[in-house]
């Protein structure tokens, strides 16, 4: 940024840098923790937070009725995220004055006072392992009152998952539950039997197995508190039906806890649309541009505009365009970066289509300061692409576009004067498709976070798919914090 020039302008790479390193989210996390924890020395507190390898660790609450599979899901979550599995029993295993005081109540068959219980949870979550790696609270809290006390104590989860199932399913699961005495893992006679013969042979019935009537009363007791818990955590709650294969249940839970809540951080969309000829890139770019005021950049049209303005660069590329030869990548990239560096692209964001077409172009674009924040592949079969393109025609009088199947000319007179573009002949389309499929695998590998969208459907349905991924945040990437 040049402080001597007016008006002052933030360079376009500043926004990219801030998003890449999540500067705005980091500031949000620091300020939030500062307000919640209210440290005596705020500056030193912030310094210590910044010294951590990761300031955004998992903070998960897992709730559900008896036999809904909370412990199994919690263990698997901890394996995938390196978070610490926190249960009521392992909180009481700590050797401290608080735990000894709590154990006196349990030994006398008395309920631990809520104030003491909240302090115990605070004590456990303040340990180094939970601070650095995050935590999963298993069946904590049990009541709305307890949840509100945790919030007052500064314990606020980022994600709350509530498991649910019909009462009959829960009762059946309770009666068929089996425990591995070696690992403590929970299995079931019908729903989840171990693959290992050795494990299956050592499974035991849970100690103190209760009757069906007692299980029913436990489930009803949970239901009485569930509504209050839902209301308390409604802003970060996901309810998942567990009456399905446990693999599917865990996949849904993991997908949710890797999702990220809406951020108030400024975001300038930088979008690349890729796809075979006829997949609707130009239409979708226009729809997104119209709704979100993005700068719509079609690489082919941009080259034609530069060639027409009689500039030095236009004179260089004009022979290539007139002869139908491919413009050298270096020239295309120079023209493209100049366009992307203009103020409208910096302020409003942009959507690019027609570039890159191969891995070399993608790598060249990546080396510039103009990197996409979203990449979409519009997918369709060759048959559909051929049908879409070869049947297109234009009325030379009105300039209106028509299609023999989807949008036929309204009158015989207009139909008679339609003109078909030679570039849309079946032979030409097949050649363009062949060229696209030659490079698409390398492009998909280069953009691993790209989203594949089925383009063989109504254009507005495709637009909704693109829009949903545009406004939502990208999911977290798991890293080893152990």
């Amino acid at each position: 940024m040049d402080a001597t020039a007016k008006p002052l302008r933030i360079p376009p790479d500043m926004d990219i840098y801030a998003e890449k390193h999540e500067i705005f989210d980091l500031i949000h996390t620091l300020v939030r923790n500062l307000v919640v924890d209210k440290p005596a020395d705020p500056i030193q507190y912030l310094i210590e937070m910044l010294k951590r390898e990761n300031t955004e660790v998992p903070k998960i609450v897992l709730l559900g009725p008896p036999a809904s599979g909370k412990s199994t899901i919690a263990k698997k979550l901890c394996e995938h995220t390196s978070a610490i599995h926190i249960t009521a029993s392992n909180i009481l295993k700590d050797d401290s004055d608080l735990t000894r005081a709590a154990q006196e109540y349990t030994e006398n068959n008395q309920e631990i006072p809520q104030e003491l219980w909240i302090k115990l949870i605070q004590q456990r979550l303040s340990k180094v392992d939970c601070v650095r790696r995050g935590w999963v609270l298993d069946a904590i809290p049990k009541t709305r009152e307890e949840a509100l006390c945790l919030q007052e104590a500064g314990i606020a989860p980022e994600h709350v998952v509530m498991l649910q199932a019909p009462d009959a399913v829960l009762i059946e699961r309770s009666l068929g539950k089996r425990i591995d005495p070696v690992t403590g893992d929970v299995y079931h006679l019908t729903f989840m039997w171990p693959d290992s013969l050795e494990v299956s042979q050592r499974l035991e019935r849970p100690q103190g197995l209760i009757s069906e009537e007692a299980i029913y009363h436990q489930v009803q007791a949970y239901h009485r508190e569930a509504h209050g818990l839902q209301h308390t955590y409604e802003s970060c709650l996901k309810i998942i039906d567990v009456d399905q294969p446990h693999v599917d249940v865990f996949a849904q839970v993991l997908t949710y806890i890797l999702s990220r809540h809406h951020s108030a951080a400024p975001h300038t969309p930088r979008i690349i649309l890729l796809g075979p000829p006829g997949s609707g890139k130009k239409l979708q770019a226009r729809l997104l541009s119209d709704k979100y005021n993005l700068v719509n950049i079609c690489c082919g049209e941009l080259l034609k505009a530069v060639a027409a303005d009689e500039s030095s660069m236009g004179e260089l590329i004009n022979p290539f365009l007139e002869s139908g030869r491919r413009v050298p990548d270096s020239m295309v990239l120079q023209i493209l970066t100049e366009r992307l560096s203009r103020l409208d692209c910096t302020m409003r964001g942009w959507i690019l289509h027609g570039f890159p077409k191969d891995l070399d172009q993608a790598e060249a674009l990546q080396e510039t300061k103009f990197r996409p924040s979203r990449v979409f592949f519009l997918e369709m079969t060759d048959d559909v692409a051929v049908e879409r393109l070869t049947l297109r025609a234009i009325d030379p009088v009105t300039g209106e576009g028509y299609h023999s199947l989807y949008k036929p000319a309204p009158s015989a007179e207009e139909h008679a004067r339609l003109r078909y573009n030679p570039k849309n002949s079946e032979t030409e389309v097949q050649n363009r498709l062949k060229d696209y499929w030659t490079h698409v695998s390398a492009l998909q590998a280069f953009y691993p976070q790209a989203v594949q969208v089925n383009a063989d459907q109504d254009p507005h349905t495709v637009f909704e798919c693109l829009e949903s991924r545009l406004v939502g945040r990208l999911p977290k990437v798991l890293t080893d914090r152990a």
Side-chain angles (χ1 to χ4, degrees):
M1 184 187 300
D2 185 0
T4 64
K6 291 186 178 181
L8 297 178
R9 180 181 171 192
I10 298 174
D13 51 336
M14 174 57 197
D15 186 42
I16 298 173
Y17 176 87
E19 287 184 22
K20 177 182 177 182
H21 297 282
E22 299 186 334
I23 301 299
F24 300 111
D25 294 299
L26 175 61
I27 293 173
H28 177 267
T29 300
L30 293 174
V31 173
R32 179 190 61 195
N33 287 16
L34 196 65
V35 171
V36 171
D37 294 343
K38 299 182 178 65
D41 187 348
I43 301 300
Q44 187 59 38
Y45 173 86
L46 294 176
I47 292 173
E48 292 299 324
M49 278 200 69
L50 291 171
K51 286 181 179 179
R52 300 177 191 170
E53 294 181 1
N54 189 358
T55 58
E56 192 176 351
V57 297
K59 297 179 179 178
I60 305 164
V61 164
L62 191 59
L63 304 173
S68 57
K70 297 184 296 297
S71 296
T72 302
I73 294 293
K75 287 180 180 179
K76 295 185 71 173
L77 279 179
C78 293
E79 291 174 3
H80 279 72
T81 65
S82 299
I84 306 300
H85 186 194
I86 305 297
T87 65
S89 58
N90 64 35
I91 286 177
L92 295 174
K93 289 180 181 178
D94 287 346
D95 185 17
S96 68
D97 293 338
L98 288 176
T99 54
R100 284 190 286 272
Q103 286 168 358
E104 291 182 7
Y105 286 96
T106 57
E107 289 171 359
N108 295 325
N109 294 322
Q110 294 178 329
E111 186 176 349
I112 300 174
Q114 187 159 272
E115 184 179 355
L116 175 58
W117 179 236
I118 298 300
K119 289 181 179 179
L120 282 167
I121 299 174
Q122 277 185 297
Q123 176 182 264
R124 181 64 188 92
L125 299 187
S126 64
K127 290 191 174 183
V128 175
D129 57 350
C130 287
V131 171
R132 290 184 176 177
R133 297 164 55 186
W135 41 263
V136 178
L137 287 180
D138 181 355
I140 301 174
K142 293 187 178 298
T143 65
R144 172 175 166 81
E145 184 181 1
E146 186 178 326
L148 294 175
C149 289
L150 287 175
Q151 289 182 343
E152 290 177 3
I155 301 172
E158 293 289 333
H159 298 86
V160 177
V161 176
M162 181 173 283
L163 308 177
Q164 68 175 15
D167 291 355
V169 173
L170 296 172
I171 293 172
E172 183 182 355
R173 288 190 172 192
S174 293
L175 296 175
K177 185 185 296 185
R178 295 296 183 267
I179 306 292
D180 183 346
V182 177
T183 64
D185 292 336
V186 179
Y187 295 95
H188 191 275
L189 293 173
T190 304
F191 302 108
M192 191 171 65
W193 193 249
D195 297 327
S196 170
L197 178 63
E198 180 184 355
V199 174
S200 63
Q201 289 177 342
R202 69 181 184 225
L203 295 184
E204 300 176 351
R205 289 174 175 268
Q207 293 182 355
L209 189 65
I210 57 179
S211 64
E212 180 176 336
E213 184 179 357
I215 295 170
Y216 175 79
H217 287 303
Q218 288 183 358
V219 171
Q220 294 307 308
Y222 167 81
H223 288 327
R224 285 193 290 271
E225 300 292 346
H227 180 74
L229 289 168
Q230 289 180 17
H231 182 71
T232 304
Y233 292 121
E234 60 185 349
S235 63
C236 57
L237 177 68
K238 175 74 172 179
I239 300 176
I240 296 177
D241 183 8
V242 299
D243 188 15
Q244 54 183 317
H246 68 278
V247 176
D248 296 337
V249 174
F250 177 71
Q252 293 177 48
V253 174
L254 184 62
T255 299
Y256 176 64
I257 67 106
L258 292 179
S259 68
R260 313 175 81 176
H261 301 306
H262 174 73
S263 172
H267 169 61
T268 304
R270 302 180 304 279
I271 306 167
I272 288 179
L273 285 183
L274 300 171
S279 57
K281 299 184 292 295
K282 184 176 293 187
L283 172 61
Q284 296 303 325
R286 178 174 60 78
L287 293 174
L288 288 169
S289 173
D290 290 346
K291 182 164 184 177
Y292 292 99
N293 196 30
L294 305 177
V295 179
N296 185 1
I297 302 175
C298 173
C299 188
E301 293 178 0
L302 177 62
L303 294 178
K304 293 177 182 178
V306 171
D309 67 7
E310 299 182 351
S311 62
S312 57
M313 181 57 72
E315 293 177 355
L316 288 175
I317 69 170
N318 197 44
F320 292 95
L321 296 178
E322 289 181 347
S323 63
R325 290 178 294 158
R326 176 167 168 168
V327 180
D329 290 351
S330 58
M331 293 183 181
V332 176
L333 200 64
Q334 184 178 342
I335 293 171
L336 193 57
T337 53
E338 188 279 329
R339 180 65 187 91
L340 294 175
S341 64
R342 294 182 192 175
L343 188 60
D344 57 350
C345 289
T346 304
M347 299 298 294
R348 294 159 48 193
W350 45 265
I351 179 166
L352 172 64
H353 49 108
F355 190 95
K357 292 185 176 180
D358 55 39
L359 181 59
D360 290 339
Q361 291 185 348
E363 290 176 340
L365 182 63
Q366 192 75 1
E367 290 174 1
T368 70
K369 57 189 176 183
F370 304 102
R371 299 183 179 183
S373 58
R374 298 289 191 278
V375 178
F376 297 98
F377 283 88
L378 303 182
E379 298 185 329
M380 62 170 25
T381 63
D382 287 359
D383 291 342
V384 176
V386 170
E387 180 184 276
R388 284 189 176 186
L389 292 174
T390 57
L391 299 180
R392 284 181 181 176
I394 293 180
D395 185 341
V397 176
T398 63
E400 184 73 18
Y402 294 99
H403 191 279
S404 299
L405 292 179
Y406 307 124
K407 187 183 175 183
S411 67
E413 179 184 356
E414 288 174 296
H415 182 270
R417 65 181 186 229
L418 293 181
R419 295 292 180 268
Y420 293 86
N421 191 334
K423 288 179 62 177
N424 289 338
S425 68
E426 185 168 350
T427 302
E428 287 293 324
V429 172
Q430 291 288 4
N431 290 335
R432 289 157 59 193
L433 286 168
K434 183 179 179 181
D435 183 63
Y436 171 79
W437 292 116
T438 300
H439 301 290
V440 69
S441 296
L443 287 170
Q444 289 176 341
F446 188 78
Y447 295 116
Q449 285 195 303
V451 178
Q452 278 75 36
V453 177
N454 178 17
D456 186 15
Q457 50 186 335
D458 180 79
H460 293 287
T461 303
V462 177
F463 173 73
E464 289 174 358
C465 294
L466 297 174
E467 185 180 32
S468 65
R469 297 303 184 100
L470 174 63
V471 298
R473 302 181 69 192
L474 293 174
K476 296 178 185 176
V477 178
L478 289 179
T479 56
D480 185 8
R481 291 180 290 274

